Amino acid sequence: TFYYFIRLCLEKVLLQCVLQSRTLSGADAINALRPFYFAVHPDFFGQHPKEREVNENSLKRLNGYLENLQKPGFRSFKPTQLTFYVREREQNSSNVQESFSASGFRAVSFTLHTRDLLSTVLDILNSCSLSTEHVQSLNVNSEPHKEARSTVNRPIKWDKTYYSFTGFKDPEEELEQAHRVETTLISWLDGNEASAGKRLKKSLPLRKELERLKFQLSHQLQLSDIRWQRSWGVAHRCSQLHSLGRLVQQRPEVLKNVKGRTVVFTDRSGMSAAGHIMLGTMDVHHHWTKIFERLPNYYKLQKRLLFLEDRISQLLGGIQVIYVEELQPLLTLEEYYQTLDSFYNKLRDSRLPFHPRSLRGLQMILESDRYAPSLHEFGHFTIPTVCDPATLQWFIFAKAQEARENLKRKEEMMITEKELIDTSTEKFSLDRLYKEPSVSSAQMIACCKRLLEESLPYLQGMHLCISHFYSVLQDGELCIPWNWK
């Protein structure tokens, strides 16, 4: 037994050495992460909008990290902290719907700081307590033996009898089953309209209370607006406003500097890059009080930030630096200032020859998680903070005219989108029609045009959210995918 144990230990050590000395291709990484993608894919969180949103955002950041790893010559890595809700499964369950534990999922947080695909894949799988045994069966070849890749370039594919014998779930079969349950809009509304109507009716008193509290606090504090970062339920939102109301009664003097500002209930307290006051929903009144007391200092930092944006604009021919809440990560004022300061110093040292005011009317946003510059459909440039100045100059010059055309098209698209929302709301007698931030204007326009061709009496008086998945939220909102069938 002792020698057998020693042999097992040696085999594990040797396996680690082999894996660490080999490289992983992008296709191999995707195959190796299939169990992970299956455990966290947003499609399986249709009835849990909060968890689905967290996984969607984390997957976007993870994909960006993996893309950067494959960029030739890319060396600047920023540790990336991710949180996923991972589906839990019971080993003995024979039915997909029953293969969840009581809670259905667990939260997992980890930080990526590796510089190669293989280490990253292993870190992700280990962090989520998923097996890494299948990784050794993938096409992971050492660089000196590239010629051998063509002969073994295939991921492992178990025979169906393997799953029958072991009792493990066949990922392909479960994904096929998930796709089979996709339904049409009409049939889904037919099966869910009644339950959504009951939930909506039940939530109406709380909705009125929410509007009353929001109006009262906005008027009392002379706020510009009160918002929420996440899709919390109506009861949760009322509770947050009650907490703010109690603080107003207990410490009115600390709220003297909030006039004209927007308060956002979110995951952490501070001031956002957009200049909004963030109140962390998990923080107590003591933390909120500290934020309100610190507002004068935040306002000073915001002035310095605006000056920095102006200096960058001058160096780049008058292009405007903007921060788009819907498209960028939620950054604190301090984080965004550091990003701007680093980018400004890089530009100042490079002395790019932009003609003054030659790019006036154009817009750009800065992002830390990207490698290459891009042009958004709405006309603004997305510029990585690590972007080489010469590459930046060439890209902006090459795309300037297209950017101006996109900006003009954006204005037309926003008008069209609003008209279609108003027309759809009126035709179907909806109480409210809106979209999730992750749904683009082009997708919303396409969705509304198709909806207007249908007869949907189910929607009268309902709240309809255009999303990427079908679901009924706890307060009765109907969520449908923008590309419904």
Side-chain angles (χ1 to χ4, degrees):
T1 305
F2 173 76
Y3 290 109
Y4 177 70
F5 172 75
I6 293 296
R7 194 184 79 178
L8 283 178
C9 291
L10 286 173
E11 286 178 352
K12 287 187 176 181
V13 172
L14 286 172
L15 175 60
Q16 282 298 110
C17 291
V18 170
L19 289 175
Q20 290 173 2
S21 66
R22 294 176 174 182
T23 58
L24 200 67
S25 70
D28 289 335
I30 292 175
N31 283 325
L33 288 173
R34 284 185 67 187
F36 164 76
Y37 286 129
F38 183 72
V40 303
H41 201 285
D43 281 352
F44 296 104
F45 290 81
Q47 299 299 320
H48 304 281
K50 176 187 173 184
E51 289 76 14
R52 184 187 71 204
E53 183 181 2
V54 170
N55 282 10
E56 279 182 341
N57 293 333
S58 293
L59 279 174
K60 289 177 185 176
R61 298 183 65 201
L62 172 60
N63 290 337
Y65 189 92
L66 295 176
E67 286 176 10
N68 285 340
L69 287 177
Q70 300 173 67
K71 300 289 184 181
F74 189 70
R75 292 291 178 268
S76 178
F77 282 87
K78 179 181 178 182
T80 301
Q81 185 172 3
L82 301 173
T83 297
F84 286 99
Y85 286 95
V86 181
R87 300 195 305 145
E88 290 186 329
R89 305 193 313 173
E90 297 174 3
Q91 293 292 331
N92 299 325
S93 175
S94 59
N95 184 283
V96 176
Q97 298 301 322
E98 297 173 354
S99 60
F100 296 92
S101 66
S103 63
F105 43 77
R106 55 191 167 87
V108 174
S109 296
F110 53 90
T111 301
L112 294 178
H113 47 74
T114 47
R115 294 174 175 266
D116 63 273
L117 280 174
L118 179 57
S119 300
T120 303
V121 166
L122 292 174
D123 274 4
I124 294 170
L125 294 173
N126 286 324
S127 298
C128 296
S129 302
L130 297 170
S131 173
T132 59
E133 293 179 3
H134 62 290
V135 178
Q136 60 183 297
S137 302
L138 297 172
N139 177 35
V140 186
N141 292 313
S142 55
E143 287 300 319
H145 302 288
K146 287 185 179 180
E147 67 277 5
R149 289 189 178 184
S150 60
T151 60
V152 291
N153 188 19
R154 57 182 176 83
I156 187 170
K157 186 176 178 68
W158 295 110
D159 188 87
K160 298 295 182 183
T161 55
Y162 165 79
Y163 299 104
S164 301
F165 180 77
T166 61
F168 293 131
K169 290 294 178 183
D170 182 353
E172 290 186 357
E173 184 179 322
E174 289 194 86
L175 283 173
E176 286 175 7
Q177 182 168 346
H179 289 309
R180 282 198 297 271
V181 299
E182 287 184 354
T183 186
T184 64
L185 175 64
I186 302 298
S187 62
W188 187 83
L189 288 175
D190 189 40
N192 291 276
E193 180 270 336
S195 63
K198 290 180 181 177
R199 294 184 186 183
L200 182 61
K201 185 178 180 180
K202 186 178 179 181
S203 72
L204 289 179
L206 271 177
R207 289 180 185 275
K208 291 180 180 179
E209 174 69 0
L210 179 65
E211 288 302 313
R212 185 191 69 81
L213 289 169
K214 184 178 177 180
F215 175 80
Q216 178 182 327
L217 284 169
S218 296
H219 179 73
Q220 186 176 359
L221 300 175
Q222 300 184 57
L223 295 172
S224 174
D225 195 10
I226 298 177
R227 302 179 192 169
W228 286 264
Q229 181 199 2
R230 300 199 180 280
S231 304
W232 284 298
V234 178
H236 196 171
R237 296 186 182 202
C238 283
S239 176
Q240 292 159 359
L241 291 184
H242 278 299
S243 293
L244 180 58
R246 284 194 296 272
L247 180 60
V248 173
Q249 292 177 351
Q250 296 167 4
R251 299 288 305 277
E253 73 281 358
V254 301
L255 290 110
K256 60 184 178 182
N257 295 310
V258 301
K259 182 179 178 180
R261 293 284 168 168
T262 293
V263 168
V264 182
F265 289 96
T266 181
D267 294 330
R268 51 179 174 166
S269 298
M271 179 167 278
S272 74
H276 302 325
I277 301 168
M278 302 190 301
L279 300 181
T281 57
M282 300 301 291
D283 292 339
V284 295
H285 282 182
H286 172 72
H287 294 104
W288 290 5
T289 300
K290 290 292 183 184
I291 296 300
F292 290 124
E293 290 175 343
R294 214 176 293 156
L295 284 180
N297 291 329
Y298 278 127
Y299 296 157
K300 291 179 183 177
L301 180 59
Q302 189 178 25
K303 287 182 179 179
R304 291 168 56 195
L305 185 147
L306 293 174
F307 174 77
L308 207 50
E309 286 183 338
D310 186 59
R311 294 293 296 161
I312 292 173
S313 176
Q314 291 178 21
L315 291 174
L316 292 179
I319 190 171
Q320 182 185 6
V321 183
I322 61 173
Y323 177 83
V324 185
E325 289 180 282
E326 295 80 8
L327 299 177
Q328 294 180 258
L330 183 66
L331 299 176
T332 64
L333 197 67
E334 298 93 332
E335 291 170 341
Y336 190 48
Y337 181 84
Q338 290 175 1
T339 298
L340 288 171
D341 187 51
S342 174
F343 186 71
Y344 168 68
N345 291 328
K346 192 173 186 178
L347 281 180
R348 184 187 56 188
D349 295 339
S350 66
R351 301 181 182 276
L352 292 176
F354 280 98
H355 190 278
R357 297 183 296 279
S358 60
L359 299 176
R360 287 187 67 180
L362 297 182
Q363 299 174 335
M364 61 169 279
I365 65 175
L366 280 174
E367 285 202 5
S368 303
D369 296 335
R370 289 181 178 267
Y371 173 77
S374 62
L375 177 62
H376 194 270
E377 63 171 344
F378 278 174
H380 62 260
F381 291 94
T382 300
I383 306 299
T385 54
V386 297
C387 187
D388 174 67
T391 302
L392 169 64
Q393 180 187 12
W394 175 87
F395 186 82
I396 292 179
F397 279 150
K399 297 285 186 179
Q401 183 57 37
E402 184 181 349
R404 295 187 191 279
E405 293 171 358
N406 285 6
L407 281 170
K408 183 178 180 181
R409 188 161 53 246
K410 170 191 174 182
E411 297 176 5
E412 298 170 351
M413 192 177 292
M414 298 297 285
I415 294 173
T416 302
E417 180 182 4
K418 185 179 185 305
E419 289 176 348
L420 286 170
I421 289 176
D422 293 341
T423 304
S424 301
T425 302
E426 182 178 354
K427 175 180 177 179
F428 301 117
S429 300
L430 288 164
D431 194 55
R432 186 186 179 203
L433 173 60
Y434 64 104
K435 68 182 179 73
E436 289 187 347
S438 57
V439 175
S440 69
S441 290
Q443 291 170 337
M444 186 66 172
I445 289 172
C447 176
C448 288
K449 284 182 176 179
R450 294 178 61 221
L451 282 175
L452 288 170
E453 296 173 357
E454 302 291 329
S455 175
L456 302 169
Y458 319 86
L459 297 180
Q460 184 174 355
M462 301 302 293
H463 289 222
L464 182 64
C465 173
I466 307 303
S467 175
H468 296 279
F469 314 95
Y470 285 110
S471 64
V472 177
L473 302 186
Q474 62 187 24
D475 295 307
E477 292 93 340
L478 287 166
C479 294
I480 66 171
W482 69 270
N483 57 345
W484 51 270
K485 298 177 182 178

